[in-house]
């Protein structure tokens, strides 16, 4: 699946500090890095770009641009995850697509998504428990992929009141 450069991605890559941010995005993840280090770096890079930080994990950080969510590498490994996520989404059958945050564009290592609302820890454990289990099972039945790393509420969002997966870079066959 190919995407042309989305105007919101161009907005990021035309920032004055883009070159400096790209340099940091290419750094390798060191074993000694802690969650606090990842969070600090995400905040630093989002400030350099001048867009609000929505969240981050170990490999990528997400900023808000034009009401959308742009996922950028925090370390070099984040490039691979963005490409894997793009290809995973591109290969999904139509019946499963509504269960994932939709991709709007990909360029310069940046993956642009529709921005989803936050799912609280409480809703994650109560309201959505059965839905999550059923969905993960359905994905495995239809695609053969076993989704991983979905054990935290931060990996899930809500779009138009429906539960969606936000981080789908980790799976096994
Ligand atoms: N489409 C989105 N809308 C809103 N928030 C998002 C979206 N995608 C990701 N996020 C937030 O950004 C965080 C980091 O993205 P994620 O893909 O989990 O990175 P990593 O691969 O490093 O774990 C997520 O845990 C989630 O809270
Ligand atoms: Mg994550």
């Amino acid at each position: 699946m190919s995407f042309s450069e989305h105007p919101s991605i161009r907005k990021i890559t035309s920032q004055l500090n883009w070159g400096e941010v790209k340099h940091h995005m290419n750094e390798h993840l060191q074993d000694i890095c802690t969650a606090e280090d990842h969070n600090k770096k995400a905040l630093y890079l989002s400030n350099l770009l001048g867009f609000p930080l929505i969240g981050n994990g170990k490999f990528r950080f997400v900023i808000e641009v034009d009401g959308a969510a742009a996922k950028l590498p925090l370390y070099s490994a984040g490039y691979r995850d963005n490409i894997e996520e793009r290809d995973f989404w591109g290969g999904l059958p139509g019946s499963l697509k509504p269960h994932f945050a939709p991709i709007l564009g990909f360029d310069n290592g940046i993956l642009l998504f529709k921005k989803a609302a936050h799912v609280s820890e409480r809703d994650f454990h109560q309201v959505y428990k059965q839905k999550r289990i059923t969905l993960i099972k359905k994905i495995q039945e239809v695609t053969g992929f076993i989704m991983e790393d979905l054990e935290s509420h931060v990996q899930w969002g809500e779009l138009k009141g429906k539960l969606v997966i936000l981080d789908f870079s980790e799976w096994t066959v």
Side-chain angles (χ1 to χ4, degrees):
M1 165 153 299
S2 69
F3 291 96
S4 57
E5 194 180 51
H6 192 286
S8 300
I9 295 182
R10 186 179 293 274
K11 236 185 209 181
I12 299 170
T13 59
S14 58
Q15 289 298 307
L16 210 58
N17 289 328
W18 172 242
E20 188 181 347
V21 170
K22 215 162 61 171
H23 170 80
H24 289 296
M25 283 165 34
N26 277 303
E27 288 162 351
H28 297 301
L29 174 63
Q30 308 287 323
D31 289 339
I32 48 159
C33 285
T34 62
E36 200 181 313
D37 295 326
H38 309 318
N39 301 348
K40 250 192 211 160
K41 184 173 179 183
L43 196 59
Y44 177 68
L45 296 186
S46 58
N47 279 336
L48 271 181
L49 287 171
F51 294 102
L53 180 67
I54 296 177
N56 70 277
K58 186 175 179 183
F59 298 118
R60 298 173 293 172
F61 68 109
V62 176
I63 54 177
E64 182 172 345
V65 184
D66 298 333
K71 214 180 261 196
L72 290 86
L74 200 47
Y75 303 95
S76 57
Y79 283 94
R80 179 205 59 208
D81 278 5
N82 268 355
I83 287 168
E84 283 188 358
E85 207 157 69
R86 177 200 64 180
D87 292 346
F88 181 88
W89 192 81
L92 280 172
S95 63
L96 287 179
K97 273 216 163 121
H99 302 294
F100 293 81
I103 295 177
L104 307 173
F106 176 77
D107 198 49
N108 271 290
I110 301 171
L111 202 45
L112 189 75
F113 290 87
K114 261 199 185 154
K115 182 177 175 259
H118 177 75
V119 168
S120 71
E121 202 162 359
R122 185 183 170 278
D123 283 357
F124 177 77
H125 288 295
Q126 297 178 14
V127 183
Y128 287 130
K129 186 174 180 203
Q130 200 48 52
K131 270 207 178 113
R132 284 189 285 118
I133 295 168
T134 309
L135 176 57
I136 291 171
K137 208 170 140 209
K138 185 176 161 193
I139 295 168
Q140 189 183 351
E141 280 164 8
V142 175
T143 67
F145 291 118
I146 301 165
M147 302 308 291
E148 293 192 333
D149 202 26
L150 293 181
E151 297 305 311
S152 163
H153 68 111
V154 300
Q155 310 282 53
W156 298 78
E158 267 173 23
L159 262 177
K160 291 184 184 153
K162 293 256 194 304
L163 184 71
V164 290
I165 299 175
L166 300 181
D167 184 353
F168 37 101
S169 59
E170 304 285 330
W171 35 260
T172 53
V173 279

